[in-house]
């Protein structure tokens, strides 16, 4: 699921939710109930240049949770 909201001409708020399972035969790796939440902000710095900051939380049944924060500068041409 993905939701994007343009708060202004330069700022966009993004929220994403993903869910699924990983089942691999060899080596036996099975993770059920995987879910991930991502919240991000995109800010248009200049023409064709966007800065993005995101926080992501990933978890599953049977595995430890994993949180991350990222910052990107994106040039689109």
């Amino acid at each position: 699921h993905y939701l994007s909201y343009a708060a202004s001409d330069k700022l966009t708020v993004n929220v994403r939710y993903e869910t699924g399972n990983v089942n691999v035969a060899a080596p036996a790796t099975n993770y059920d109930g995987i879910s991930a939440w991502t919240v991000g902000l995109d800010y248009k710095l200049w023409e064709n240049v966007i800065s993005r900051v995101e926080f992501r939380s990933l978890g599953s049944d049977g595995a430890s949770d994993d949180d991350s924060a990222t910052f990107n500068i994106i040039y689109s041409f």
Side-chain angles (χ1 to χ4, degrees), residues 9 32 52 58 64 71 75:
D9 289 341
D32 294 324
R52 176 179 293 157
L58 173 66
S64 61
F71 178 75
Y75 178 75

Side-chain angles (χ1 to χ4, degrees), residues 38-58:
T38 306
V39 177
L41 298 173
D42 290 358
Y43 187 79
K44 184 176 180 180
L45 294 172
W46 304 288
E47 186 70 29
N48 299 334
V49 179
I50 298 171
S51 65
R52 176 179 293 157
V53 62
E54 286 186 333
F55 174 77
R56 180 175 173 91
S57 181
L58 173 66

Side-chain angles (χ1 to χ4, degrees), residues 1-41:
H1 305 282
Y2 191 86
L3 176 66
S4 182
Y5 174 72
S8 70
D9 289 341
K10 292 189 172 199
L11 180 66
T12 304
V13 179
N14 303 299
V15 178
R16 184 172 68 238
Y17 175 73
E18 301 166 280
T19 186
N21 298 315
V22 174
N23 299 303
V24 179
T29 304
N30 297 309
Y31 297 110
D32 294 324
I34 296 172
S35 64
W37 281 96
T38 306
V39 177
L41 298 173

